[in-house]
Amino acid sequence: SLLESLKKNKLLSINDYSACVNDSKNNPLVKARYLKHFYKDSHVSLISGMREVLYHRKKGNQALLNSVVSLIKTRRVDSVITYNYDDLLEEALHTKGVPYTPVDRSNRPQPGTLPIHHIHGMITHDNENDYDSNVVLSEDDYHGLYNDSFHWANVEQLHALSQTTCFFIGLSLTDPSLRRLLDISFRRGTGDAVHYAFLPRNEYKEPTKAENLFYNMGANVIWYEDYKDLPGMIRMLTASAASRKICSVTEN
């Protein structure tokens, strides 16, 4: 969408557009690296472009958001780690009267509030509460995370993976950075899979093999057939919330 926006506003030459599409080989991280250069050369704010893309459409899956909020309201959830840039979860929590604190490297959660760690940065509707200096979008941004073992994002994720039971909602679990942290946590742990990942069965040709692979990364798979089934499954989880604390890891 960012690429098409530059093209539509005549801020990108046909040659640059073709080079980006062709040379990135449909790798979104490489494509994003091109985009960062294009926006810089065009003297247009990448963050403003991302905000427009994030919020020009209808709001996200409200049923899923509401089910996550209901889970949070059980008070079994210790924290939320999100890889989303948007503040839709915060909006939903505010509507339901649930106190929260968006967290990045420069602040700490307020007492009595739910910490929401925006690992890849946060871009809000209003441009007033952004944590956009931490936006992780392109290949070089990911390399920065890889190379800094003590980066606040890595520390928060490893803490959640080693100290709580995490439920992965709306993730593909293909992110190389997250998979690396899962492996580290699993190797340091008891050897048991203590986390749970909701995954679409129809995207795996060999679900049983996939289950084994994820188990050896520390995650049990909960299969769903259709994305629209997720809210109901989360409501079932809410109804039988475990006694241990949960860290809900979301990417809606």
Side-chain angles (χ1 to χ4, degrees):
S1 295
L2 289 168
L3 190 61
E4 293 300 327
S5 176
L6 285 176
K7 182 182 177 184
K8 179 181 178 181
N9 292 308
K10 302 185 184 303
L11 297 172
L12 191 65
S13 70
I14 296 298
N15 286 340
D16 282 344
Y17 178 88
S18 299
C20 179
V21 173
N22 179 73
D23 297 350
S24 66
K25 309 299 183 186
N26 289 323
N27 183 318
L29 294 179
V30 176
K31 188 177 290 186
R33 191 165 191 162
Y34 273 88
L35 274 168
K36 287 178 68 174
H37 285 285
F38 293 154
Y39 270 87
K40 184 178 181 180
D41 292 344
S42 302
H43 304 289
V44 177
S45 167
L46 174 62
I47 300 301
S48 296
M50 291 177 68
R51 178 177 291 107
E52 183 178 348
V53 168
L54 283 170
Y55 296 111
H56 88 283
R57 301 172 183 166
K58 292 182 180 179
K59 290 186 177 180
N61 187 328
Q62 203 64 38
L64 181 57
L65 279 173
N66 289 338
S67 67
V68 171
V69 170
S70 294
L71 178 60
I72 289 169
K73 289 181 71 175
T74 65
R75 299 192 179 185
R76 300 292 189 186
V77 177
D78 183 62
S79 65
V80 172
I81 293 176
T82 178
Y83 305 95
N84 293 349
Y85 308 115
D86 63 66
D87 60 358
L88 296 180
L89 177 60
E90 283 85 349
E91 275 194 4
L93 289 170
H94 177 74
T95 300
K96 299 296 184 181
V98 180
Y100 62 86
T101 303
V103 179
D104 77 339
R105 65 185 173 191
S106 61
N107 71 324
R108 295 183 178 182
Q110 296 297 313
T113 66
L114 175 78
I116 304 178
H117 303 277
H118 280 265
I119 297 301
H120 289 167
M122 181 178 179
I123 301 174
T124 61
H125 276 93
D126 55 19
N127 197 23
E128 294 180 1
N129 301 306
D130 288 356
Y131 298 136
D132 54 34
S133 62
N134 299 327
V135 164
V136 175
L137 178 68
S138 69
E139 181 183 42
D140 52 322
D141 297 326
Y142 272 85
H143 290 168
L145 286 181
Y146 280 135
N147 293 330
D148 185 356
S149 298
F150 297 102
H151 191 285
W152 76 274
N154 293 329
V155 171
E156 291 295 347
Q157 290 174 94
L158 276 174
H159 177 266
L161 291 169
S162 61
Q163 299 296 320
T164 68
T165 294
C166 297
F167 284 79
F168 298 92
I169 302 170
L171 283 82
S172 63
L173 289 189
T174 58
D175 183 311
S177 180
L178 177 57
R179 291 170 71 93
R180 179 178 65 89
L181 295 174
L182 271 167
D183 277 333
I184 292 172
S185 174
F186 186 66
R187 287 197 299 268
R188 292 178 179 176
T190 61
D192 296 320
V194 298
H195 308 301
Y196 297 86
F198 291 88
L199 294 173
R201 189 193 302 271
N202 60 6
E203 293 187 8
Y204 292 85
K205 292 183 178 179
E206 296 287 346
T208 302
K209 288 182 180 179
E211 284 182 12
N212 291 333
L213 288 174
F214 283 118
Y215 187 89
N216 288 318
M217 291 167 57
N220 300 283
V221 176
I222 303 173
W223 296 113
Y224 63 85
E225 301 301 328
D226 192 293
Y227 191 72
K228 66 182 180 182
D229 297 332
L230 262 179
M233 297 175 75
I234 303 302
R235 286 193 294 270
M236 291 175 64
L237 175 63
T238 301
S240 58
S243 59
R244 73 176 68 184
K245 283 189 174 181
I246 298 169
C247 171
S248 176
V249 184
T250 70
E251 183 182 72
N252 298 329

